Amino acid sequence: MTMNKLDATLDDVQNTRFGNIYHDLIKQMAKTTQFTESEVSSILMVYHKFVLANGSKAKHMTKKQFFHLFLVLFKIFDLQIIERILLHITLDMKKEVDAVAWVRLFSVFMTNKLDQKIKFTFQIYNVHGNGFLNREIVQHAVEKFFVGDDEDEVNELRSDMVDLLFKKFDVDKDGVISFDDYSQVVMKQPMLLEFLGQCFPSIIGTTVIALCANIMSKVNLDKPCF
């Protein structure tokens, strides 16, 4: 891989600077993710260009850029879910998004392993971090699914949906949805993975992202991985 030829929109000096900054990280992330070194380089080049847009002294992507990317490219519009994803990949709520978190995001979005998607999605839904989803969490998520002028009718629909979801997902009938409950249901019915809101780009969206980021091993997604 010739670093100074990686991106034709940057001059040789800028390409060389990119190589100097990310050389070690590229090798590290290629070992710990499903991506090749070339793919990690392309993913980080996208990140690098976001950083360059913040000025010559900038070192990281901003949260504002991160949110905008979700809304425009990933087509995920629930701000709470975006915040939860940001917290999950950065492990805190810093004002900026570092390069490791950026690659980690792509690694999650591009995985073909259902068990990894289940783990990730449950962590996003589990806002209290206590290992289960109670009725309050489910109710809050369901509120976004039903809107209308007739408040009584909307509330009734929401209540019915909460009851239906607990009937489906509370496998051991203990009044909460644990990770084991959720995992059992989704392993049998993968289409229920995002039952409380979208956490992943669509299959078409994933292909577009792969093309934009030059992740060639993920371009030909003929069908869902489930």
Side-chain angles (χ1 to χ4, degrees), residues 66-72 74-76 82 85 105 109:
F66 185 84
F67 272 72
H68 188 69
L69 188 68
F70 269 74
L71 296 172
V72 174
F74 297 163
K75 305 297 183 183
I76 297 175
I82 299 174
I85 291 173
L105 174 69
F109 276 2

Side-chain angles (χ1 to χ4, degrees), residues 101-221:
W102 177 254
V103 179
R104 189 180 293 128
L105 174 69
F106 277 77
S107 180
V108 170
F109 276 2
M110 296 294 169
T111 184
N112 287 331
K113 297 180 179 179
L114 180 56
D115 60 331
Q116 291 184 9
K117 289 193 171 189
I118 288 173
K119 182 178 179 181
F120 173 79
T121 308
F122 189 82
Q123 289 174 322
I124 300 307
Y125 293 158
N126 183 26
V127 295
H128 297 318
N130 53 12
F132 60 83
L133 312 178
N134 59 22
R135 294 188 75 88
E136 178 186 357
I137 291 174
V138 176
Q139 176 70 41
H140 179 71
V142 166
E143 285 178 359
K144 304 169 187 176
F145 301 160
F146 299 98
V147 294
D149 296 328
D150 190 328
E151 187 175 345
D152 290 336
E153 181 180 4
V154 169
N155 287 336
E156 184 176 351
L157 289 170
R158 290 170 176 169
S159 179
D160 289 345
M161 177 59 77
V162 171
D163 290 341
L164 180 64
L165 290 176
F166 268 87
K167 184 177 180 180
K168 180 68 176 180
F169 283 92
D170 184 11
V171 177
D172 57 11
K173 306 304 177 187
D174 63 351
V176 295
I177 301 171
S178 66
F179 175 75
D180 287 340
D181 291 336
Y182 170 72
S183 182
Q184 285 183 53
V185 172
V186 177
M187 288 300 292
K188 293 177 181 177
Q189 296 178 270
M191 295 301 293
L192 294 175
L193 174 71
E194 298 171 281
F195 81 111
L196 291 184
Q198 183 183 356
C199 297
F200 294 89
S202 66
I203 294 298
I204 294 175
T206 302
T207 303
V208 171
I209 294 164
L211 284 167
C212 289
N214 199 31
I215 310 173
M216 300 312 296
S217 65
K218 300 296 180 182
V219 169
N220 295 318
L221 296 177

